[in-house]
Amino acid sequence: MAFLEVQDLQVYFPIKGGIFNRTVDHIKAVDGVSFEMEQGKTYGLVGESGSGKSTTGRAIIGLEDITSGKILFDGKDITDKKTKNKAFRKDVQMIFQDPYSSLNPRKRVLDIVAEPLRNFEKLSKQEERKRVQELLDIVNVSPDSIFKYPHEFSGGQRQRIGVARAIALKPKLIIADEPVSALDVSVQAQVLNFLKEIQSELNLTYLFISHDLGIVKHMCDNISIMYKGRYVEQGSTADIFENPQHIYTKRLIAAIPDIDPKNREKQFHNRQKVLEEYTQSYNDFFDQDGLAFQLKSISDTHRVALPQKG
Amino acid sequence: MSNELLKIKNLSTSFRIGDEYYAAVDDVTLTLNKNEVLGIVGESGSGKSALAFSIMRLHTRAKIEGEILLNNQNIVKMSTSKLNKIRGDEMAMIFQDPLTALNPLMPIGRQIEENLFLHNKKLGQQGRKKRTIELLNLVGIPRPERVYEQFPHELSGGMRQRIIIAIAIANDPELLIADEPTTALDVTIQAQILDLVRELKEKIHAGIILITHDLGVVAEMADRVAVMYAGQIVEIAPVDKLFANPLHPYTRSLLNSVPAEGQDRLHVIQGVVPTLKNLPRTGCRFAERIPWIDASHHEEHPELHEVESGHFVRCTCYEHFYFPDNKEEQANGVS
C-alpha cells in the first residue's frame, strides 16, 4: 500500500464573467494528475511557473479545493476537507517558499515554532519552551533566540525556523514548495543538507516542489515533470536525466546552464538542436490545446506522455 | 589602450547609516574592454548591484569616491544634464525584475520610442516607429506590430524581459549592464534570454557587465569573471581559468555549494555575509568565515596578487586553504 496516493487529481479555478457573474469557464490548474509515494523518499515535482506544481502541493495539504480526484494517505481517503482530521493535519506539514512572508512578523520565534505544539499537544510553559529550544537546536538556530522576532534573522535562518515549525509535530510527509529558491547558493546548500539530514533521522517523506532541476537532481529519488497542469514524464532521477523521453523534459534539461565554461559551445548547439526538435515535433507531443497526452509506462519506473499513434 | 571601454579606479560607494558612512563597494578597480562580457558574481550583500548602480550613477544618496571612466569621461564627476545624455545612449542597463521595470500605463511601443526620442532627435515619428519594430524583431518578439500597441500586462515575463532589453539596446550602447537579467525567469526562458544576449553581443559589439549569483550563467556567458565578497573583488580571472583553477577560499566555497554529480553533502560556508555596518574593515574579510585557517596565513592588508597573467586573487590565505570536512578533497582539487 502506498504511503500517499493521488488519483486523477483535478483543481479547477472558475473564471467569472457575464452580467450575473456566472462561471463562464475554468482554468485547469491541475488537470488529472496521479502518483504514488513511498515513505522515506523524496519526490520532486518540476515545472515552470504556471504549470500547477504548487497547486498540486497545496491541494494535497488542503489549501486548495479539489475539483475531482482522490487522495489517499496511509490508506485513508482524505480528499474531502471534512475527512482531513487531526491526525492528518499533524502528519502533513508544509515548508513555504518565501522565508520573508511565511513567518508572522509580530510573533516571537517561540510563538511561531510553538504554534503547532499548542494546537496538538498540551504542554506546560516550561515543556513547551524546552521543546522549542530542542527544535531550534536541530535546525542550527541558537536556542537563546526564542524571544527574537523574525526580522532579526537572515533569510537562511528564517527558512530554518520555518523548517523547525514544520517538523515540530514529527510529521510523516513534508510538502516543500520551492524551499530554497529565495536563498543564496551557500545558504541554499545549508538548508538542503539539513533537509537531507532530518529526513534520515525522522524517516520523512518529501514532496519537493521546485523549478531548479539541478537541486531536484541532488535531492530527489523520483521526479515528475509537469506542464500546463498535466504530467509529461515521471520516473526515477536516473530515468529523467539519463533517458529523457518527452520533448519538454529534454528541453528543460538542455536549458540548465553548464558550470564548465569549456562546454559552452557544445551546450549552445545542443540547446539549439533540442529547441529545433521541440518546435518540429511539438504537434506530435501535445494535442490541439497544447496539453500533454496520457502517461504510458515504458519501464517499471518510467512513465511518459508519449504521442498517441494511430 | 584603445580597446578599453570602461575603467574603474579605486571606486568606493558608501551609504550613510546614522551619522557614519559605510562603504558597500570598497576600493574596486576594474577594466572592461570592448566586446567583452565581464561576469560579476557574489551573494546578496556583496555589493555587486551597488557597483552597477554606481556606474549608472543611479544612487541618489550615496557617497561615491574614485573614478569611473567611460571612454575617458569621468562619470563620477559628471553633471546631471551630461549624465542624462549618455544614460540610455552610451550606457544602458537591463534591470532584474521585468514586472516592475516597465511602466504599466504606457504601451510597449511608446516605452521604446521614448528612449529613441530622448537621444536621437533627428529621427522622425515614422523613423522611430520603424526602428522600434526593428528592435522588437531583433529581440525575437513575434508579431511586433501588434506588441507595439500592447501594454506590459498583456505579455509574459520572458517577453517583458525582452522589451527591457530592446529599450536598453535601442541606441546601440557601448556599455550594457545586465543586473540579474534572468533571475526572475523560468529556466527555458532564461536559456532563450541568454542566447539572445549572446547574439546581441555579436551584433552591437557592446561591452557587457553581467551581474548574477548563478555560477552556471557566468560559466556560459562571461569572458572574464570577478568574484565579489563584502564590497571587494576577491578574485578576478578569465572564465576558463576561474572554473578550472579557482583559488580564493570564497570562490572555492561557492563552487562547492552548488549541487554537482556524485556529491552527497553540499559545502556550507560558516556564518553569514556580514551586514554593511559590521564589515570587518581591516584584514581579510573572509577570515571570520574560515576560522580553521590559521590567522597568520592572512595578510594584514590583503591585496590582489597576480597569480598568472590576468588571474588575480586577494590575500595570501588561498595558499593554505582546505575544506575542513573533507581533507581528501583538498588533494583532488575542487570538483
Side-chain angles (χ1 to χ4, degrees):
Chain A
M1 185 181 60
F3 174 62
L4 179 86
E5 196 174 342
V6 175
Q7 294 170 357
D8 203 26
L9 177 74
Q10 294 182 330
V11 181
Y12 290 2
F13 297 115
I15 306 169
K16 303 257 177 163
I19 29 172
F20 296 115
N21 210 17
R22 278 178 305 201
T23 305
V24 286
D25 203 357
H26 287 97
I27 292 171
K28 298 175 176 175
V30 181
D31 191 13
V33 157
S34 309
F35 57 89
E36 286 176 10
M37 289 167 74
E38 277 170 54
Q39 196 156 11
K41 291 207 164 159
T42 307
Y43 291 78
L45 194 48
V46 187
E48 301 193 13
S49 38
S51 60
K53 55 189 194 305
S54 289
T55 312
T56 308
R58 293 169 64 90
I60 293 171
I61 204 170
L63 290 169
E64 305 283 0
D65 288 328
I66 294 165
T67 310
S68 78
K70 235 182 180 183
I71 301 173
L72 301 169
F73 179 73
D74 253 350
K76 282 189 283 284
D77 186 340
I78 48 112
T79 315
D80 195 12
K81 274 213 168 134
K82 288 183 198 123
T83 58
K84 289 196 167 72
N85 54 17
K86 265 198 146 178
F88 173 79
R89 295 190 189 283
K90 200 175 158 183
D91 285 343
V92 184
Q93 293 288 330
M94 189 150 182
I95 301 171
F96 294 94
Q97 172 170 12
D98 182 2
Y100 292 88
S101 58
S102 61
L103 302 179
N104 188 337
R106 299 185 54 177
K107 281 186 172 177
R108 298 169 303 180
V109 170
L110 172 68
D111 300 318
I112 292 171
V113 180
E115 191 175 337
L117 295 172
R118 287 172 190 168
N119 288 339
F120 288 96
E121 285 170 33
K122 286 206 165 56
L123 297 173
S124 70
K125 278 254 162 74
Q126 284 82 12
E127 280 171 335
E128 179 187 287
R129 184 179 299 180
K130 204 167 142 258
R131 279 286 292 280
V132 171
Q133 282 176 329
E134 279 166 17
L135 285 164
L136 290 178
D137 195 41
I138 296 177
V139 297
N140 277 330
V141 173
S142 159
D144 310 329
S145 49
I146 51 169
F147 293 119
K148 285 189 184 169
Y149 286 88
H151 73 263
E152 296 172 71
F153 295 92
S154 68
Q157 283 173 317
R158 281 182 205 214
Q159 195 59 309
R160 278 178 284 155
I161 293 170
V163 174
R165 177 175 61 184
I167 60 171
L169 294 165
K170 303 208 167 57
K172 292 177 184 158
L173 170 68
I174 288 186
I175 296 172
D177 187 0
E178 307 255 14
V180 293
S181 57
L183 307 172
D184 273 322
V185 264
S186 65
V187 185
Q188 193 174 296
Q190 203 175 22
V191 174
L192 292 180
N193 277 346
F194 172 69
L195 287 175
K196 275 200 156 180
E197 265 164 40
I198 54 168
Q199 174 166 40
S200 45
E201 265 167 48
L202 306 171
N203 194 24
L204 284 169
T205 312
Y206 289 124
L207 178 62
F208 196 91
I209 301 168
S210 177
H211 68 271
D212 190 326
L213 277 163
I215 291 171
V216 168
K217 189 180 184 182
H218 176 75
M219 289 295 289
C220 300
D221 305 303
N222 264 286
I223 299 175
S224 307
I225 313 274
M226 214 167 164
Y227 179 72
K228 286 195 184 165
R230 292 193 185 172
Y231 274 9
V232 298
E233 194 158 354
Q234 199 174 26
S236 69
T237 304
D239 287 337
I240 298 286
F241 280 92
E242 279 148 37
N243 186 21
Q245 289 297 318
H246 199 279
I247 184 72
Y248 181 71
T249 315
K250 287 185 195 167
R251 191 164 163 224
L252 272 184
I253 291 171
I256 311 173
D258 198 311
I259 197 117
D260 191 347
K262 285 200 283 290
N263 297 339
R264 191 188 283 185
E265 282 304 307
K266 209 173 84 196
Q267 179 75 2
F268 179 68
H269 290 299
N270 178 30
R271 200 149 59 217
Q272 298 290 358
K273 210 178 81 201
V274 171
L275 190 64
E276 208 171 284
E277 199 186 337
Y278 183 77
T279 13
Q280 269 172 12
S281 53
Y282 184 85
N283 288 332
D284 298 339
F285 277 94
F286 298 100
D287 63 13
Q288 291 101 322
D289 303 324
L291 296 172
F293 296 107
Q294 287 288 313
L295 290 176
K296 279 185 209 151
S297 297
I298 61 164
S299 77
D300 286 350
T301 52
H302 198 172
R303 307 200 317 145
V304 192
L306 284 174
Q308 279 157 332
K309 283 184 194 108
Chain B
M1 275 301 276
S2 63
N3 210 17
E4 216 171 73
L5 175 67
L6 180 77
K7 197 175 170 78
I8 299 175
K9 267 193 237 158
N10 306 98
L11 176 75
S12 296
T13 304
S14 319
F15 297 102
R16 205 169 105 175
I17 303 174
D19 288 333
E20 296 222 29
Y21 278 93
Y22 295 90
V25 178
D26 204 349
D27 199 18
V28 164
T29 300
L30 265 183
T31 52
L32 176 73
N33 294 329
K34 284 174 186 156
N35 212 359
E36 182 186 45
V37 180
L38 174 70
I40 298 184
V41 212
E43 291 176 273
S44 37
S46 61
K48 55 195 198 305
S49 283
L51 173 65
F53 275 57
S54 306
I55 300 171
M56 292 292 285
R57 273 276 300 273
L58 290 171
H59 292 303
T60 44
R61 292 170 123 148
K63 188 170 80 179
I64 300 180
E65 292 155 306
E67 280 180 8
I68 305 172
L69 299 170
L70 176 68
N71 287 329
N72 286 322
Q73 322 160 68
N74 192 349
I75 294 174
V76 177
K77 297 252 160 60
M78 209 170 266
S79 68
T80 319
S81 61
K82 182 81 213 296
L83 256 179
N84 285 340
K85 270 209 188 93
I86 69 163
R87 271 204 292 238
D89 191 19
E90 278 178 53
M91 59 178 183
M93 187 150 171
I94 300 170
F95 292 93
Q96 173 170 8
D97 186 358
L99 308 179
T100 53
L102 291 171
N103 184 344
L105 297 174
M106 209 193 250
I108 301 290
R110 276 198 31 220
Q111 305 202 32
I112 302 176
E113 278 183 4
E114 191 181 30
N115 196 13
L116 291 168
F117 174 73
L118 289 171
H119 296 289
N120 194 349
K121 301 275 194 242
K122 274 183 242 145
L123 220 58
Q125 209 185 341
Q126 293 301 315
R128 283 203 296 274
K129 179 157 185 186
K130 200 172 143 248
R131 172 81 179 134
T132 304
I133 303 280
E134 218 178 274
L135 283 165
L136 290 174
N137 264 322
L138 191 65
V139 295
I141 295 220
R143 288 173 297 151
E145 283 83 5
R146 182 140 179 266
V147 172
Y148 181 85
E149 277 155 23
Q150 280 182 318
F151 286 88
H153 73 266
E154 297 176 80
L155 302 178
S156 65
M159 285 297 151
R160 278 183 245 189
Q161 192 61 285
R162 282 160 196 260
I163 303 293
I164 291 174
I165 295 176
I167 296 173
I169 61 166
N171 293 309
D172 293 329
E174 293 172 61
L175 171 65
L176 193 59
I177 299 172
D179 186 7
E180 308 253 11
T182 58
T183 310
L185 304 174
D186 280 324
V187 264
T188 52
I189 317 284
Q190 165 172 303
Q192 285 171 17
I193 297 285
L194 294 182
D195 288 344
L196 172 70
V197 173
R198 196 182 331 214
E199 274 171 39
L200 288 174
K201 187 192 133 201
E202 304 290 314
K203 278 184 194 151
I204 63 176
H205 298 292
I208 300 177
I209 293 183
L210 177 73
I211 293 168
T212 178
H213 66 267
D214 190 330
L215 291 159
V217 169
V218 167
E220 288 227 344
M221 297 291 296
D223 299 315
R224 267 192 314 143
V225 187
V227 182
M228 277 187 87
Y229 180 77
Q232 289 180 324
I233 290 179
V234 293
E235 185 161 4
I236 182 163
V239 67
D240 41 341
K241 280 187 189 155
L242 188 95
F243 281 90
N245 183 22
L247 291 175
H248 195 276
Y250 182 60
T251 318
R252 292 182 56 188
S253 310
L254 268 189
L255 282 168
N256 233 9
S257 39
V258 181
E261 208 74 42
Q263 201 181 2
D264 196 39
R265 268 188 68 87
L266 302 169
H267 176 68
V268 174
I269 306 175
Q270 284 190 16
V272 289
V273 179
T275 57
L276 198 47
K277 239 176 144 171
N278 303 326
L279 272 188
R281 297 283 168 190
T282 51
C284 181
R285 292 184 182 189
F286 198 58
E288 60 179 46
R289 304 193 64 183
I290 42 169
W292 63 92
I293 302 296
D294 198 80
S296 64
H297 296 320
H298 294 291
E299 273 173 271
E300 210 170 314
H301 301 285
E303 307 233 347
L304 282 173
H305 306 280
E306 185 159 12
V307 190
E308 47 185 327
S309 90
H311 193 160
F312 294 87
V313 189
R314 191 176 293 275
C315 195
T316 44
C317 55
Y318 75 89
E319 289 169 7
H320 308 276
F321 180 71
Y322 59 92
F323 288 109
D325 40 355
N326 194 350
K327 291 201 179 178
E328 292 159 35
E329 214 169 60
Q330 182 198 8
N332 299 336
V334 186
S335 57

